[in-house]
Amino acid sequence: MKLIIINGPNLNLLGKREPEIYGSKTFEDYFKKLQEKFKNVELSYFQSNIEGEIIDKLHEVGFNFDGIILNAAAYTHTSVGIGDAVKGIETPVVELHISNVHAREEFRHHSYIASAAKGVIFGFGLKGYELAIQSFL
Ligand code: CA2
């Protein structure tokens, strides 16, 4: 089982700023724990602050991986391009958000990805990534 986690803009700051919303763990530390927990899963991780790099990564993995866990961060609410890329690939995508986007500002309630996603997980903190992996097993 080959899965990839793709994180979008500013998620490289996890654990460093706004711990009240996003927690105090860095994603790199959490990713190591995920790898230990899911030893039978070939798990990769990619983070970019650049929309086109996220689209390129979706094209690269979107025909040969078994699943994509995508937290496109702010691009979720703005990017027709990432939404189109998710529609254009074959690998199923689980959209994920650490925070409960529906309990936050109105502009976070809309997603360009959700309609093409296999499912959406939000509001469970970093634990959501674990739930997303389990959804593919
Ligand atoms: O809850 C999520 O996972 C979000 O995708 C996070 C995005 C936000 O724009 C989405 O509406 C919901 C923001 C990621 C920013 O991450 C930071 C982490 C630490 C410090 C500052 C920003």
Side-chain angles (χ1 to χ4, degrees):
M1 169 76 56
K2 242 171 119 169
L3 302 181
I4 185 166
I5 294 170
I6 300 179
N7 276 346
N10 298 308
L11 286 165
N12 53 313
L13 297 177
L14 276 181
K16 296 168 189 152
R17 306 286 294 273
E18 299 196 55
E20 64 291 353
I21 305 177
Y22 301 114
S24 50
K25 264 195 198 112
T26 67
F27 198 81
E28 286 72 14
D29 286 345
Y30 180 67
F31 185 68
K32 279 185 206 136
K33 292 219 166 72
L34 284 178
Q35 283 177 309
E36 278 162 28
K37 180 158 183 165
F38 296 99
K39 287 209 169 73
N40 53 340
V41 176
E42 225 182 293
L43 197 56
S44 319
Y45 169 53
F46 176 79
Q47 190 276 330
S48 175
N49 296 320
I50 300 167
E51 185 175 12
E53 284 186 1
I54 294 169
I55 293 171
D56 283 347
K57 184 54 79 174
L58 288 167
H59 293 173
E60 182 190 319
V61 300
F63 298 90
N64 44 41
F65 274 56
D66 300 299
I68 298 169
I69 297 157
L70 175 61
N71 185 348
Y75 288 145
T76 306
H77 319 298
T78 62
S79 177
V80 175
I82 292 178
D84 283 348
V86 170
K87 290 186 185 91
I89 59 178
E90 282 171 2
T91 300
V93 171
V94 167
E95 175 182 338
L96 181 142
H97 301 286
I98 297 165
S99 63
N100 178 353
V101 283
H102 287 278
R104 299 182 66 189
E105 303 93 324
E106 188 87 29
F107 69 85
R108 296 185 203 274
H109 299 181
H110 178 259
S111 165
Y112 281 101
I113 296 162
S115 65
K118 181 176 183 241
V120 183
I121 295 174
F122 59 89
F124 293 101
L126 289 179
K127 175 122 186 135
Y129 289 90
E130 210 174 304
L131 301 174
I133 293 169
Q134 272 159 357
S135 78
F136 285 109
L137 302 180

